[in-house]
Amino acid sequence: MARHLITSAIPYINGIKHLGNLVGSQLPADLYARYLRARGHEVMFICATDEHGTPAELAAAKAGKPVDVYCTEMHEVQAEIAAGFRLSFDHFGRSSSAQNRVLTQHFAKVLAEHGLIREVTEKQMYSVADGRFLPDRYIEGTCPNCGYTSARGDQCDNCTKQLDPVDLINPRSVISGSTDLEMRETKHLFLRQSEMKDKLAAWIDSKTDWPVLTTSIAKKWLFDGDGLQDRGITRDLAWGVPAQFEGAPWQGMEGKVFYVWFDAPIEYIAATQEWADKTGGDWARWWRTDKGAEDVTYTQFMGKDNVPFHTLSFPSTILGSGEPWKLVDYIKSFNYLNYDGGQFSTSRGRGVFMDQALGLLPPDYWRWWLLSHAPESADAEFTWENFQVSVNKDLADVLGNFVSRITKFCRSKFGEALPEGGLWGEREIALIAELATRVREYERLMDEKEVRKAATELRAIWVAGNEYLQAAAPWTVFKTDPAQAAAQTRLALNLVRLYAVLSEPFIPDAAATMLAAMQTEDRSWPGDIRAALEVLPVGHAFATPEVLFRKIADEEREDWQNRFAGTRD
């Protein structure tokens, strides 16, 4: 048994996330966590809400609520929706927790003691109309790199380039829309990332198994232009981790907080501390290499826009501390999922959002489509036509049809128990051989976090059972050789249990339904396939389940296309 730490990029608190957010981090992380647990490994799966900074302040102001109250409410909403999608976090934390405040201030202090933080007096955008300094996300304008007209002051969503507000062309205040902006002096703390450049480059070079998407983005930031730059880690905001605190090795930072991208990744550790405080568990054995974490494999999941912060900024914090913290072993990054010819966007209110999706269909329908179309090698696109075809063909026609046909056939001819008689022949031996090859390949792809390919292999495993059933035709064999039909039926009913075990990481509700129908709690992962197809013995009772997956009608698809044409209700 191995030990695996898994973190998903933590979603902003500012509203309900869309399907593109889900497939870019939380859902594939859940897939991997469920798979590893099924294989018998010890897993710690951590996520949280990212509650500090400008997005929270703006969203709270729009909602007419104090920011702390808003964050508490939205954390509960996001936690409930995550549960609705069956995301199996061991803990879903909050970056506004006391644990994260203490840990963030600790890292800042230690980094300063190592000479990796400097004070900088700089000019920052001040809105005369709003009477305040504008943090990066309070400013929008045209990206100087790609020309996108709604780039934010910290990053362009279109080309992912990290920006400073002064870089924007024709900047404006997000609060008031005012262009009456001027530069005024303010003092901030900067993380001296440039001092870490060589160490970071060597570390990234050592990760030869990482996706090209991850390493190419990291190296672009390390070496393009003037190379890795020092990064401001404080902001003129009221909501966040205070930058001036008891024991801080600086003065004059009152009224400032740490930048959200400094404290948010630290919440991975803090959320595990939250888990420990709640359960009595030991967080340090997951995060401190001097306290048991040296044998942990740590995997992070995120969208490509988060890669720079996880390959450069957060590692600068961890490495720069000089303390024995666990560094990430593998970063699985994803491209974007687009929506029906355009982009998903929480801030722009475009696309299908997680709560709306659950209002239409159960979670397995969405989990299957999203994971089987995960944007790994390139951006992917959600269309209602593709969603309908995938659900109807993969889930209803292949898996659902198999379960329905064999359980109903057995019930009608033998009753609701595995029938006795008959022996396996060449067709059954051939099926076992094919499944043995395919299950091992499925394991390899899941181990390597090849999400789409793993989904394709799982579907092929379902198809193999369908093709066997079609070729064996026990309903025909029964007329002349009931004993042989019984042997075929026993094998196929055991396949239902096997499919439940293999499919659970992708479609957990359907897997639970299949196991319940087979009246078994046996979730043992298949080693020897022949043995796995004999787990349910002669006489074992089962119940014929209701329809596992229903088909999406053309009328429904057309209705949904019109209802979700690109704007949030």
Side-chain angles (χ1 to χ4, degrees):
M1 183 177 73
R3 297 173 61 223
H4 287 268
L5 174 63
I6 300 170
T7 60
S8 163
I10 67 177
Y12 274 130
I13 198 73
N14 61 329
I16 293 165
K17 304 296 109 176
H18 55 65
L19 296 182
N21 298 130
L22 180 62
V23 75
S25 55
Q26 292 177 321
L27 190 53
D30 180 71
L31 175 78
Y32 190 53
R34 285 178 177 275
Y35 167 72
L36 291 174
R37 292 190 195 108
R39 298 302 306 275
H41 300 305
E42 185 182 3
V43 172
M44 177 61 65
F45 180 23
I46 292 293
C47 193
T49 38
D50 185 358
E51 301 187 9
H52 290 145
T54 312
E57 283 197 346
L58 287 175
K62 187 176 179 181
K65 296 177 180 178
V67 66
D68 57 337
V69 172
Y70 173 82
C71 287
T72 298
E73 291 178 359
M74 284 308 302
H75 174 80
E76 290 304 314
V77 169
Q78 290 203 22
E80 185 178 337
I81 293 173
F85 275 96
R86 309 297 185 254
L87 302 179
S88 60
F89 306 129
D90 288 288
H91 186 71
F92 187 56
R94 303 183 60 185
S95 70
S96 62
S97 68
Q99 292 88 339
N100 196 39
R101 182 177 67 249
V102 170
L103 199 54
T104 297
Q105 292 174 340
H106 164 81
F107 273 114
K109 182 179 179 182
V110 170
L111 288 166
E113 290 167 354
H114 284 78
L116 291 172
I117 288 183
R118 61 188 176 96
E119 296 182 28
V120 174
T121 299
E122 60 176 3
K123 289 188 174 181
Q124 187 177 332
M125 288 281 191
Y126 184 89
S127 170
V128 177
D130 300 314
R132 60 176 292 173
F133 283 104
L134 296 178
D136 298 351
R137 280 176 165 258
Y138 279 65
I139 307 164
E140 286 189 349
T142 299
C143 175
N145 187 54
C146 72
Y148 182 57
T149 57
S150 295
R152 300 192 311 261
D154 61 344
Q155 189 174 15
C156 176
D157 280 342
N158 190 54
C159 70
T160 78
K161 185 170 179 63
Q162 199 169 9
L163 299 168
D164 283 310
V166 292
D167 298 330
L168 292 174
I169 300 165
N170 300 322
R172 60 188 178 276
S173 166
V174 169
I175 301 171
S176 61
S178 173
T179 56
D180 187 8
L181 310 179
E182 60 187 43
M183 302 302 293
R184 293 190 183 181
E185 281 194 350
T186 183
K187 186 169 73 168
H188 283 290
L189 302 176
F190 273 62
L191 178 61
R192 300 179 68 187
Q193 293 183 151
S194 58
E195 295 292 310
M196 301 291 294
K197 180 179 176 181
D198 292 343
K199 186 176 286 190
L200 289 167
W203 175 65
I204 290 166
D205 280 341
S206 74
K207 303 300 182 181
T208 55
D209 62 332
W210 281 14
V212 172
L213 180 64
T214 301
T215 53
S216 62
I217 292 173
K219 289 180 178 180
K220 175 183 172 185
W221 293 60
L222 270 172
F223 301 115
D224 276 13
D226 295 327
L228 186 63
Q229 300 296 299
D230 295 348
R231 187 76 175 146
I233 60 168
T234 53
R235 293 291 184 270
D236 289 291
L237 286 171
W239 176 242
V241 176
Q244 192 62 54
F245 54 92
E246 186 176 347
W250 49 70
Q251 296 296 324
M253 290 293 156
E254 292 82 3
K256 301 177 193 293
V257 299
F258 285 106
Y259 179 36
V260 66
W261 264 112
F262 183 70
D263 87 81
I266 295 170
E267 169 59 15
Y268 294 141
I269 307 172
T272 316
Q273 292 179 335
E274 295 169 41
W275 163 83
D277 290 345
K278 182 179 179 182
T279 64
D282 181 2
W283 69 268
R285 68 188 286 268
W286 293 101
W287 284 104
R288 296 278 301 203
T289 56
D290 59 337
K291 295 184 178 179
E294 66 280 349
D295 65 343
V296 168
T297 299
Y298 177 21
T299 307
Q300 294 175 344
F301 289 80
M302 69 198 65
K304 62 185 176 184
D305 53 329
N306 288 342
V307 168
F309 303 105
H310 286 81
T311 55
L312 304 172
S313 301
F314 188 38
S316 291
T317 298
I318 296 292
L319 289 168
S321 74
E323 297 175 335
W325 297 101
K326 174 65 186 173
L327 268 170
V328 67
D329 294 297
Y330 191 89
I331 295 180
K332 175 70 174 180
S333 56
F334 291 84
N335 287 285
Y336 293 143
L337 177 69
N338 295 320
Y339 176 74
D340 224 4
Q343 285 188 329
F344 274 100
S345 173
T346 302
S347 57
R348 304 291 185 280
R350 175 176 171 76
V352 184
F353 289 72
M354 289 170 68
D355 60 334
Q356 296 170 328
L358 290 176
L360 299 180
L361 289 167
D364 281 352
Y365 293 71
W366 302 103
R367 287 178 64 103
W368 175 253
W369 189 90
L370 290 167
L371 291 167
S372 62
H373 295 78
E376 291 174 293
S377 57
D379 288 354
E381 183 168 8
F382 177 89
T383 68
W384 289 104
E385 290 87 353
N386 188 297
F387 179 65
Q388 180 191 26
V389 168
S390 183
V391 165
N392 291 357
K393 288 190 176 299
D394 299 349
L395 299 181
D397 285 345
V398 179
L399 181 60
N401 183 54
F402 175 82
V403 174
S404 177
R405 287 177 83 187
I406 192 57
T407 53
K408 288 179 179 177
F409 168 73
C410 187
R411 180 177 64 183
S412 69
K413 300 301 183 184
F414 300 106
E416 287 188 314
L418 271 69
E420 184 178 9
L423 297 170
W424 290 348
E426 289 184 8
R427 182 176 283 120
E428 287 72 33
I429 300 306
L431 173 65
I432 289 168
E434 179 184 355
L435 289 175
T437 299
R438 288 199 178 281
V439 169
R440 299 292 88 86
E441 176 64 4
Y442 176 59
E443 291 168 353
R444 184 188 71 80
L445 293 168
M446 291 289 274
D447 285 333
E448 295 182 3
K449 297 164 283 289
E450 293 278 0
V451 177
R452 288 179 78 143
K453 291 179 181 177
T456 299
E457 195 62 44
L458 178 60
R459 186 187 186 278
I461 291 169
W462 299 341
V463 167
N466 253 322
E467 290 179 344
Y468 164 77
L469 202 58
Q470 193 64 29
W475 40 85
T476 301
V477 173
F478 180 80
K479 298 172 185 175
T480 56
D481 190 349
Q484 184 60 27
Q488 295 165 343
T489 301
R490 275 200 314 280
L491 181 145
L493 288 169
N494 269 284
L495 264 180
V496 175
R497 187 204 71 88
L498 179 64
Y499 286 170
V501 172
L502 295 174
S503 306
E504 193 272 344
F506 281 90
I507 46 174
D509 284 3
T513 299
M514 286 188 277
L515 287 172
M518 293 299 103
Q519 297 185 10
T520 179
E521 292 293 321
D522 190 331
R523 289 175 165 79
S524 56
W525 192 266
D528 178 78
I529 298 300
R530 184 181 185 113
L533 293 176
E534 295 178 313
V535 167
L536 304 181
V538 169
H540 180 91
F542 70 90
T544 304
E546 298 295 317
V547 174
L548 202 58
F549 292 99
R550 71 170 184 83
K551 289 192 173 186
I552 297 170
D554 290 345
E555 296 77 21
E556 286 180 297
R557 187 204 71 220
E558 291 165 6
D559 175 49
W560 295 341
Q561 277 177 310
N562 293 330
R563 280 170 60 191
F564 302 99
T567 56
R568 179 84 162 133
D569 288 345

